């Protein structure tokens, strides 16, 4: 069991003690568990696969409140560390599989031509937000339970580095296994072609090896071109099998799991893999729920006599009901909508407002004074320049590029259609109008909280000013 929370100097106005982490390890593991999630396993490797190498998808940075300190504080040790154990097992096993080297070469070999596509850099930028869980609020909520004099700068750098290294580490595990699968599928493709040649030309069995296939095919095509042309031969290129990708989470839930089926002891590997996915999702949800519950508790949305467990249960129930759309037959399409449209745009705008709010509304001097009080040293010119100029400009540039791309190309999705002439390739279709309306609603609703809360704060301040003025007038008149 966790220890009782220590008193916090920054307690609420009602004099209640704010819970604290039992130790720094709990805070680090909670932040890392929140940042390192399913996106590190499927989104980062998927972008690498889509754009031909890790260089195009750079991934670097340039119940919880009381429950986390109580019941869930011990759980985080397992949910945050178990994925690293499983990843290490998969890395060791994957590197010993035939074809793993080819998968890793594919991972770390960039396609320089694709670098000219602005979509690459947009996806890379949004990947940072998903990977580090920026602008979600979870890191701020977790940090609020630290001691006020905490080295927040060191924490931010360490968490960013660990998260980025985890993405690369996970990619090594994924691509070593995918290299094995691609090599296996490539070999089966060659075997089918070899069997067709042996049957057509009455060669002895096993007379053509995989290494000799191309030479034999060239010889037969030069001597018997018509007979070779009639055969159902497939084009067998290893690069084509490496390029094959299911969109989004399909990389982890389809291709990777299919590769696991070909590994010796497949059931054990499958249990480890899906256990890892479960713990990754669980640790991320800790932070996501904390980002909602902590502000609601701090601003007093519900009366103080309402148990925190009740609020937590209501929030989890609401999230559960909203998430049922992902379990429907069209769930994967809704996931792509949230991933590509709703979440990305909101995160960019919210992060921009946070940076501008701190640097220009709260004030850089006051912010640096706060950091100096917390850490004992003032931020270097690098950090001040980044907060004041670099970050706002980059975020604004990414936002403009994002809107430009959306205006130039209608929103579309790729559907599985057995009647499509190029099936099993997926058919690209345009979203219907009601889906576009849903996308606009999803993008606007979270942003409306910013002016809404600002207006509420302004009205509250004015009401307090009027109340104080009336009190002074009553005092003067008396």
């Amino acid at each position: 069991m966790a220890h009782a929370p220590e008193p916090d100097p920054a307690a609420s106005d009602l004099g209640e003690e704010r819970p604290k982490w039992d130790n720094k390890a709990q805070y680090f593991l909670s932040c890392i568990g929140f940042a390192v999630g399913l996106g590190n396993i499927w989104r980062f490797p998927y972008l690498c696969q889509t754009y031909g190498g890790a260089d195009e998808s750079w991934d670097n940075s340039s119940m919880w409140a009381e429950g986390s300190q109580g019941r869930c504080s011990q759980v985080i040790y397992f949910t945050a560390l178990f994925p690293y154990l499983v990843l290490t097992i998969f890395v060791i096993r994957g590197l010993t599989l035939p074809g793993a080297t080819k998968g890793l070469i594919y991972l770390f070999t960039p396609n320089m031509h694709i670098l000219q596509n602005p979509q690459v850099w947009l996806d890379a930028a949004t990947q940072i937000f998903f990977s580090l869980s920026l602008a979600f609020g979870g890191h701020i909520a977790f940090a609020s339970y630290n001691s006020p004099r905490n080295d927040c700068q060191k924490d931010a750098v360490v968490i960013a580095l660990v998260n980025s290294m985890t993405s690369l580490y996970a990619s090594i595990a994924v691509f070593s296994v995918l290299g094995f699968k691609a090599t296996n599928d490539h070999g089966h493709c060659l075997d089918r072609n070899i069997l067709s040649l042996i049957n057509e030309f009455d060669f002895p069995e096993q007379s053509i090896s995989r290494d000799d296939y191309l030479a034999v095919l060239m010889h037969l095509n030069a001597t018997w071109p018509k007979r070779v042309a009639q055969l159902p031969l497939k084009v067998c290129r290893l690069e084509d099998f490496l390029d094959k990708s299911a969109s989004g989470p399909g990389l982890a839930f389809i291709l990777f799991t299919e590769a696991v089926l070909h590994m010796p002891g497949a059931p054990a590997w499958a249990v480890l893999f899906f256990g890892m996915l479960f713990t990754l999702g669980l640790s991320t949800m800790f932070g996501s729920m904390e980002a909602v519950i902590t502000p609601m508790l701090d601003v007093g949305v519900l009366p103080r006599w309402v148990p925190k467990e009740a609020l937590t249960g209501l929030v989890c129930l609401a999230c559960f009901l909203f998430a049922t759309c992902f379990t429907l037959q069209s769930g994967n399409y809704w996931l792509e909508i949230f991933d590509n449209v709703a979440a990305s745009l909101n995160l960019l705008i919210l992060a921009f407002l946070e940076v501008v709010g701190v640097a220009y509304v709260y004030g850089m001097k006051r912010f640096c004074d706060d950091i100096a009080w917390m850490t004992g040293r003032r931020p270097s010119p690098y950090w001040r320049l980044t907060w004041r100029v670099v970050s706002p400009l980059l975020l604004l540039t990414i936002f403009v590029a994002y809107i430009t791309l959306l205006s130039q190309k209608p929103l579309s999705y790729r559907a599985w259609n057995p009647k499509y002439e190029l099936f099993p390739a997926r058919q690209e279709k345009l979203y219907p109008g009601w889906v576009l309306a849903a996308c606009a609603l999803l993008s606007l609703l979270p942003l409306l909280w910013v002016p809404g809360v600002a207006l509420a704060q302004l009205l509250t301040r004015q009401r307090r000013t009027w109340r104080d003025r009336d009190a002074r007038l009553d005092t003067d008149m008396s």
Side-chain angles (χ1 to χ4, degrees):
M1 297 297 294
H3 303 294
E6 301 175 5
D8 191 335
S12 65
D13 294 337
L14 297 179
E16 294 186 356
E17 293 182 351
R18 190 174 187 83
K20 283 189 176 182
W21 300 102
D22 290 345
N23 50 64
K24 195 61 175 288
Q26 286 184 359
Y27 168 68
F28 266 118
L29 290 178
S30 297
C31 289
I32 291 173
F34 175 50
V36 177
L38 296 176
N40 297 77
I41 304 299
W42 69 260
R43 204 174 193 274
F44 179 74
Y46 166 65
L47 290 178
C48 293
Q49 188 178 36
T50 301
Y51 298 129
D55 290 354
E56 281 73 44
S57 299
W58 38 269
D59 180 45
N60 49 60
S61 55
S62 199
M63 291 238 189
W64 191 334
E66 184 171 346
S68 183
Q69 284 66 38
R71 290 171 293 279
C72 292
S73 60
Q74 307 305 319
V75 177
I76 199 65
Y77 288 109
F78 176 77
T79 58
L81 295 177
F82 179 73
Y84 286 97
L85 174 62
V86 177
L87 276 179
T88 302
I89 294 174
F90 269 102
V91 167
I92 296 174
R93 180 63 181 122
L95 293 178
T96 62
L97 293 172
T101 304
K102 297 176 181 178
L104 295 180
I105 293 175
Y106 180 84
L107 168 64
F108 292 107
T109 303
N111 187 334
M112 303 306 296
H113 176 70
I114 297 182
L115 281 174
Q116 303 175 13
N117 184 359
Q119 184 67 41
V120 177
W121 301 102
L122 179 61
D123 287 341
T126 54
Q127 169 61 19
I128 292 178
F129 287 88
F130 283 104
S131 183
L132 279 175
S133 299
L134 299 177
F136 281 92
H139 288 299
I140 298 176
F142 281 148
S144 69
Y145 297 97
N146 279 325
S147 170
R149 292 185 179 274
N150 177 61
D151 195 341
C152 55
Q153 179 179 338
K154 179 180 177 182
D155 293 346
V157 173
V158 170
I159 292 171
L161 290 177
V162 170
N163 179 75
S164 299
M165 293 301 102
T166 301
S167 293
L168 290 175
Y169 194 51
S171 297
I172 292 175
V174 170
F175 274 86
S176 61
V177 175
L178 291 185
F180 159 74
K181 180 183 182 301
T183 301
N184 198 36
D185 293 343
H186 177 249
H188 289 325
C189 180
L190 292 177
D191 290 342
R192 289 190 293 268
N193 287 354
I194 290 173
L195 182 61
S196 297
L197 293 178
I198 290 176
N199 292 336
E200 175 66 23
F201 294 96
D202 294 328
F203 290 138
E205 292 186 6
Q206 300 182 352
S207 60
I208 305 177
S209 65
R210 293 177 179 176
D211 295 335
D212 299 333
Y213 167 73
L214 287 179
V216 173
L217 178 62
M218 292 178 61
H219 173 72
L220 294 175
N221 199 31
T223 55
W224 304 93
K226 293 184 179 181
R227 294 178 64 180
V228 172
Q230 295 176 352
L231 297 177
L233 301 179
K234 302 292 184 180
V235 178
C236 300
R237 296 178 64 251
L238 181 63
E239 292 76 12
D240 293 338
F241 291 99
L242 288 171
D243 286 337
K244 286 183 178 179
S245 61
S247 66
L251 177 66
F253 291 96
I254 298 177
L255 291 183
F256 193 85
T257 52
E258 183 182 346
V260 168
L261 291 176
H262 296 288
M263 296 169 58
W269 294 110
V271 169
L272 282 176
F273 180 70
F274 285 104
M276 177 186 67
L277 295 183
F278 175 75
T279 54
L280 283 172
L282 192 61
S283 60
T284 301
M285 288 310 300
F286 286 164
S288 299
M289 291 296 99
E290 184 66 23
V292 177
I293 295 171
T294 297
M296 295 179 70
L297 293 174
D298 289 343
V299 300
V301 173
L302 295 180
R304 292 287 179 176
W305 55 265
V306 177
K308 297 177 181 178
E309 291 80 3
L311 176 60
T312 301
L314 289 175
V315 173
C316 290
L317 178 62
C319 292
F320 171 80
L321 295 177
F322 280 118
T324 52
C325 66
F326 301 119
T327 65
L328 304 177
Q329 188 174 2
S330 59
N332 191 55
Y333 300 111
W334 282 112
L335 179 60
E336 289 191 11
I337 290 174
F338 274 77
D339 181 42
N340 297 326
V341 180
S344 300
L345 187 61
N346 285 318
L347 292 177
L348 287 173
I349 297 177
L350 291 175
F352 176 78
L353 293 177
E354 286 181 2
V355 173
V356 172
V358 169
Y360 294 98
V361 179
Y362 183 75
M364 183 60 65
K365 183 180 183 303
R366 295 170 62 188
F367 186 60
C368 291
D369 290 341
D370 293 339
I371 294 180
W373 179 82
M374 294 176 64
T375 64
R377 60 187 183 276
R378 296 187 66 81
S380 66
Y382 165 79
W383 291 106
R384 297 198 298 270
L385 180 64
T386 299
W387 294 327
R388 189 185 294 273
V389 180
V390 178
S391 292
L393 284 180
L394 284 178
L395 290 171
L396 186 61
T397 301
I398 294 171
F399 173 74
V400 172
Y402 190 90
I403 297 299
T404 302
L405 289 176
L406 286 179
S407 63
Q408 292 178 350
K409 182 181 179 181
L411 289 177
S412 62
Y413 66 100
R414 292 183 295 172
W416 293 99
N417 183 8
K419 298 181 180 180
Y420 183 45
E421 57 183 3
L422 300 179
F423 186 82
R426 293 183 300 163
Q427 182 180 9
E428 187 168 358
K429 294 184 176 181
L430 297 178
Y431 281 116
W434 67 272
V435 174
L436 297 179
C439 292
L441 188 64
L442 289 172
S443 299
L444 289 177
L445 279 180
L447 298 177
L448 291 178
W449 285 99
V450 177
V453 172
L455 180 61
Q457 292 287 340
L458 179 61
L459 293 177
T460 301
R461 182 173 299 179
Q462 288 183 347
R463 193 182 306 115
R464 187 182 300 117
T465 302
W466 293 335
R467 185 171 60 247
D468 295 341
R469 183 185 305 168
D470 293 339
R472 286 195 301 269
L473 289 176
D474 293 339
T475 303
D476 294 340
M477 292 177 62
S478 61

